[in-house]
Amino acid sequence: MKISSSQKGNIFEIQVSGRLDAYWSGLLDTEIEKAVHGGKHKIALDTSGVEYISSAGLRILLKTNNRLKSLGGKFIIKNPSANVIEILNLTGFGDLFRESISSSEDDNNNNADDGKISATLEASPDNYMKCTISGRADFWNAKDAGSISSDALEASENVFAIGTAAFGDRHESCKSRYGEFIAAAGAAAYLPTDNAKEADYMISTGDFIPKLHSIFSIKCEGKFSRVFNFEQEKTETTAMSEICRRALELTSSPRASLMMIAEIDGLSGAFLRKSPCEIKPAENIFAFPNIREWLSFTPEKAHQGRLAIVCGVVGSEREDFGGSMKPVDMKNDISAHLHAAVFNYIPLRQGKLELSAAVKGLFSEEKIHTVMHLINDNRIYSGAGESVFSRGICWVSPVKEIIRKGL
Amino acid sequence: MLELINIYKTFNACSLSEVKSLVNFSLKINKGDFVTVIGTNGSGKSTLQNIISGTISPDSGSILIDNANVTNWREDKRASLIGRVFQNPFTGTAPGMTIAENLALAALRGKIRGLRWALRKKLVAQMKEKLSTLKMGIEDRLDAPVGTLSGGQRQAITLLMASWLEPKIFLLDEHTAALDPKSAEKIINLTKEIVESRKLTTLMVTHSMQQAANLGNRLIMMHRGRLVRDIQGEERNRLKTDDLLNMFEELRLLEQLDESAAEMLQENYI
């Protein structure tokens, strides 16, 4: 038995020969899994050299076919040997593959662009977002915990928000739990700062809309105007700063709202460990070692291979969004405030992706690991740098109106 | 049952190699508690056991066993209260003496041994009975020197010896770490059986997350001479190996948050 593979145009070809029994089916499954994880959603299996397929082998073919179909890709059996055709026909799987077999030659429908960041997939250039800033980002400058006020926030379908919040409808019941939060397309998650320490989430269903209470939030409401894909090129991944630049460029705006679903190559972030309402008068939360009680961070890039929903705002003026923006890289020309929710990996459908369904699908089906505030760890030798992604899809929109509340 | 109050212990004080092994360490363990102790290397787990057994004295603080202040008791005086098993299976038994002689030493521990410690029939019967519970077939080899037994068998005998007189405090210091996986599993099952059947107040140091998550009714985590987590009751019952790994990961992340990271976060976190 032999398994080898090569990229032919937009089709990833896997050649197998010999006996496809239970043992080799396992290896073939791993090979296909690796290809799908690497973004190959059009796979041709060259079975010209296959003498025998057991039920284990058939299972893999069936599984791959269903999987790639659901991802908007394609699975093709190429050059089936007489044995393979016979087995497929006898077991009733012939029909399933006949179409694939006959269409293998003319499959040239290419919608993957070359280059790292592709052109826009869809444009409704008139769309824009309205932004509401509530509360103050620098809670540590509050006179005392009692002076920290809070505000209700509903995570409805058209809301894309980040900040410090907790699920609940009263400040009293939330004040020991406030942590990093993210809300997108009717779903919301936050990292509680009480003993729970596990990211909690809520998804809107029917008339139910998740309710949060926040002490600081940046809430963007409206629709996205542009969508773009990005893909890893050889070993080069896409940095958060590149995506931010692209967002401003595409929206031709000094400030933009951004939402993305991407496969993580490494996240650099920080998160609260203690609720801001626990701050003592004149306490310096950044003083070492006191900071260890308050914040934790990723000393090296984290969560590689997982999936992230990233949400937030980007702009060329640091003071724009309640003074909570930080430079995305060393160039200092663009700042952002972004939060990420981290999930288990699942392959993403390529091309156009329906935002709301994709977000809700992730929230309801995959385990959420954490929520964090993305940072650029710019320390010269020991810094983890900024977050990087291997592939993903990003929605952006200009922010045209900023309202300040609760100051 | 066991109470440690504000214990401090520093090795090589005021020198470059100064190690603060226990820092203001307080812990109260109730009668019948089975406490597993985990922690990073050098977190003070072994020092804690040495201080309880009297092998070393604390710089300050007090130790109470069964309400008696034993802080100034010598190690041999505390021996009647404490049973202890070490990591090395060769430290708990005397290799040149027979199995029976070793067990006799344990049975008469803390008592005046005099010349009457010759093996009496009743004691021999008791030994055979206890050894047969090990299911290792050594109950018929009472006269064999302990040195001829395997590490796992010796550790099993050490466990029997250390628990023979139902000590007030049972200390286990990574007592399966030097054994092969199969022997380790046997020793763990035996430990569980002994501790549960005799309701021994136990403090078990372990590096195995699986043991820490599966054994006992309370878990403490030590780091740099301090108690950083004390998990009991309902929370302890729900504890899984993964939770423990997460606790270590959290500690590791905190360790990495040094002065330079603090400065960076002040600049970059909002």
Side-chain angles (χ1 to χ4, degrees):
Chain A
M1 186 80 198
K2 228 176 104 179
I3 300 177
S4 57
S5 57
S6 57
Q7 184 75 42
K8 291 191 174 159
N10 69 329
I11 292 179
F12 188 72
E13 199 175 296
I14 300 174
Q15 292 91 22
V16 280
S17 60
R19 294 171 63 83
L20 198 54
D21 55 14
Y23 175 73
W24 281 97
S25 295
L27 296 178
L28 177 64
D29 194 24
T30 313
E31 188 72 22
I32 293 174
E33 201 64 38
K34 218 167 68 190
V36 175
H37 202 141
K40 320 281 185 207
H41 292 183
K42 286 183 180 173
I43 296 176
L45 191 70
D46 188 330
T47 54
S48 53
V50 173
E51 306 152 10
Y52 163 86
I53 301 184
S54 77
S55 292
L58 279 176
R59 192 183 73 84
I60 301 306
L61 301 186
L62 201 65
K63 180 181 134 188
T64 308
N65 186 49
N66 291 340
R67 183 139 189 238
L68 292 179
K69 229 188 224 169
S70 74
L71 291 169
K74 193 152 205 171
F75 184 53
I76 297 160
I77 301 268
K78 207 176 155 185
N79 309 326
S81 64
N83 285 338
V84 172
I85 291 175
E86 194 190 338
I87 293 168
L88 290 180
N89 283 335
L90 280 176
T91 48
F93 291 126
D95 275 354
L96 194 66
F97 292 108
R98 192 155 292 132
E99 188 206 0
S100 314
I101 294 165
S102 58
S103 68
S104 62
E105 299 303 316
D106 52 40
D107 187 78
N108 288 318
N109 175 23
N110 182 359
N111 63 6
D113 283 88
D114 293 332
K116 215 164 140 188
I117 295 183
S118 78
T120 51
L121 295 167
E122 173 194 48
S124 323
D126 297 336
N127 286 347
Y128 67 94
M129 292 269 183
K130 210 171 80 182
C131 180
T132 313
I133 317 274
S134 179
R136 52 191 294 174
D138 59 339
F139 64 85
W140 51 89
N141 287 328
K143 266 190 245 94
D144 58 80
S147 70
I148 295 176
S149 61
S150 66
D151 199 6
L153 188 144
E154 290 198 346
S156 17
E157 288 282 338
N158 62 341
V159 165
F160 298 85
I162 55 167
T164 313
F167 286 124
D169 49 13
R170 281 179 313 118
H171 178 64
E172 276 309 305
S173 67
C174 294
K175 69 179 188 188
S176 63
R177 295 181 281 125
Y178 287 125
E180 316 294 338
F181 92 93
I182 180 168
Y190 89 114
L191 190 67
T193 45
D194 59 357
N195 286 329
K197 289 199 166 62
E198 267 198 50
D200 198 11
Y201 67 95
M202 277 190 163
I203 309 163
S204 62
T205 25
D207 289 338
F208 171 77
I209 296 169
K211 286 187 177 60
L212 295 120
H213 228 67
S214 81
I215 54 171
F216 173 72
S217 65
I218 301 176
K219 178 174 82 172
C220 293
E221 271 174 294
K223 284 186 172 148
F224 289 107
S225 66
R226 308 269 176 176
V227 192
F228 62 90
N229 266 336
F230 56 91
E231 178 87 31
Q232 182 169 2
E233 249 190 315
K234 292 191 184 93
T235 55
E236 207 182 326
T237 52
T238 310
M240 196 65 238
S241 56
E242 289 178 75
I243 297 164
C244 288
R245 284 213 161 73
R246 178 73 170 169
L248 289 184
E249 226 174 79
L250 272 178
T251 54
S252 331
S253 165
R255 54 193 80 84
S257 166
L258 176 156
M259 147 83 212
M260 111 180 154
I261 304 178
E263 189 185 329
I264 302 164
D265 193 49
L267 279 192
S268 191
F271 50 90
L272 275 172
R273 299 186 72 223
K274 208 162 148 178
S275 169
C277 293
E278 308 271 319
I279 197 162
K280 295 183 195 89
E283 182 178 2
N284 177 5
I285 72 155
F286 292 107
F288 183 83
N290 190 38
I291 187 171
R292 288 180 171 177
E293 305 236 323
W294 282 95
L295 285 172
S296 189
F297 80 127
T298 52
E300 61 274 324
K301 284 191 169 72
H303 301 295
Q304 193 194 22
R306 286 181 171 157
L307 218 58
I309 290 182
V310 177
C311 197
V313 288
V314 45
S316 46
E317 295 295 328
R318 273 186 67 170
E319 296 312 312
D320 262 356
F321 295 96
S324 68
M325 312 265 283
K326 294 290 172 191
V328 291
D329 58 14
M330 300 302 231
K331 289 181 194 147
N332 274 327
D333 58 338
I334 290 182
S335 297
H337 186 166
L338 300 159
H339 282 195
V342 181
F343 297 85
N344 271 350
Y345 173 79
I346 47 158
L348 286 177
R349 209 187 153 90
Q350 282 174 348
K352 204 171 145 186
L353 194 68
E354 212 273 302
L355 190 152
S356 174
V359 169
K360 283 186 182 161
L362 252 182
F363 268 98
S364 50
E365 280 157 38
E366 292 307 314
K367 182 183 158 55
I368 177 162
H369 289 275
T370 190
V371 179
M372 62 167 85
H373 174 111
L374 298 185
I375 53 169
N376 173 25
D377 184 353
N378 54 2
R379 288 175 293 162
I380 294 172
Y381 295 111
S382 51
E386 58 170 317
S387 301
V388 284
F389 302 89
S390 38
R391 64 184 58 78
I393 177 163
C394 186
W395 292 263
V396 292
S397 203
V399 172
K400 289 209 173 145
E401 204 183 317
I402 299 180
I403 304 161
R404 291 236 47 168
K405 254 173 86 181
L407 262 185
Chain B
M1 175 54 78
L2 171 70
E3 209 175 340
L4 299 158
I5 306 159
N6 308 116
I7 304 274
Y8 282 88
K9 180 70 193 176
T10 305
F11 293 102
N12 309 322
C14 305
S15 76
L16 278 176
S17 51
E18 181 182 277
V19 180
K20 287 186 171 146
S21 204
L22 289 175
V23 185
N24 199 11
F25 190 93
S26 296
L27 178 69
K28 194 177 174 182
I29 296 175
N30 297 322
K31 192 170 190 307
D33 266 351
F34 184 173
V35 184
T36 49
V37 186
I38 56 171
T40 41
N41 287 330
S43 60
K45 305 185 296 283
S46 293
T47 308
L48 174 69
Q49 295 218 336
N50 284 333
I51 280 196
I52 295 170
S53 64
T55 315
I56 52 175
S57 308
D59 297 336
S60 64
S62 11
I63 304 139
L64 275 69
I65 297 179
D66 221 2
N67 294 323
N69 189 333
V70 301
T71 319
N72 297 318
W73 288 22
R74 286 205 326 260
E75 191 177 7
D76 53 341
K77 195 179 170 193
R78 285 190 214 180
S80 60
L81 304 175
I82 294 166
R84 192 172 184 192
V85 183
F86 294 89
Q87 179 176 347
N88 186 342
F90 304 128
T91 46
T93 43
M97 292 164 76
T98 66
I99 295 175
E101 285 165 343
N102 269 286
L103 290 174
L105 277 178
L108 299 168
R109 196 160 184 229
K111 296 176 186 166
I112 297 161
R113 286 176 187 132
L115 292 169
R116 291 193 301 116
W117 73 291
L119 301 171
R120 283 168 299 181
K121 265 189 185 161
K122 201 177 141 199
L123 187 57
V124 171
Q126 208 183 353
M127 285 175 184
K128 285 200 169 174
E129 189 203 319
K130 288 204 179 191
L131 285 173
S132 66
T133 61
L134 302 182
K135 296 183 188 78
M136 286 176 166
I138 38 182
E139 59 273 23
D140 303 323
R141 296 172 58 190
L142 277 177
D143 293 328
V146 161
T148 61
L149 300 178
S150 72
Q153 289 170 327
R154 279 182 77 166
Q155 203 67 329
I157 290 179
T158 311
L159 263 179
L160 278 190
M161 288 171 66
S163 60
W164 197 281
L165 293 177
E166 310 210 343
K168 299 267 188 221
I169 308 291
F170 196 35
L171 300 177
L172 306 168
D173 193 354
E174 289 189 45
H175 67 308
T176 63
L179 304 176
D180 63 273
K182 226 174 179 173
S183 304
E185 199 191 324
K186 266 192 175 165
I187 294 297
I188 280 303
N189 290 339
L190 181 63
T191 306
K192 217 175 142 191
E193 207 181 293
I194 290 176
V195 171
E196 278 171 7
S197 65
R198 306 200 209 157
K199 299 186 176 58
L200 297 178
T201 308
T202 305
L203 201 67
M204 179 177 116
V205 171
T206 180
H207 264 145
S208 155
M209 294 303 113
Q210 206 189 346
Q211 290 175 9
N214 295 339
L215 292 173
N217 63 337
R218 184 172 168 190
L219 177 137
I220 61 172
M221 187 179 194
M222 293 179 68
H223 184 62
R224 303 206 166 199
R226 294 168 201 268
L227 194 143
V228 289
R229 293 296 286 269
D230 182 352
I231 302 170
Q232 34 190 325
E234 185 56 24
E235 196 187 356
R236 170 66 191 81
N237 295 339
R238 280 185 277 109
L239 202 68
K240 295 186 296 286
T241 316
D242 275 358
D243 301 325
L244 297 178
L245 293 176
N246 287 342
M247 276 158 59
F248 274 103
E249 175 63 8
E250 203 179 311
L251 268 187
R252 188 187 71 87
L253 291 185
L254 283 188
E255 280 291 295
Q256 304 261 347
L257 211 170
D258 55 12
E259 275 109 329
S260 81
E263 211 174 288
M264 181 278 293
L265 284 169
Q266 174 150 31
E267 205 180 292
N268 290 331
Y269 178 78
I270 312 191

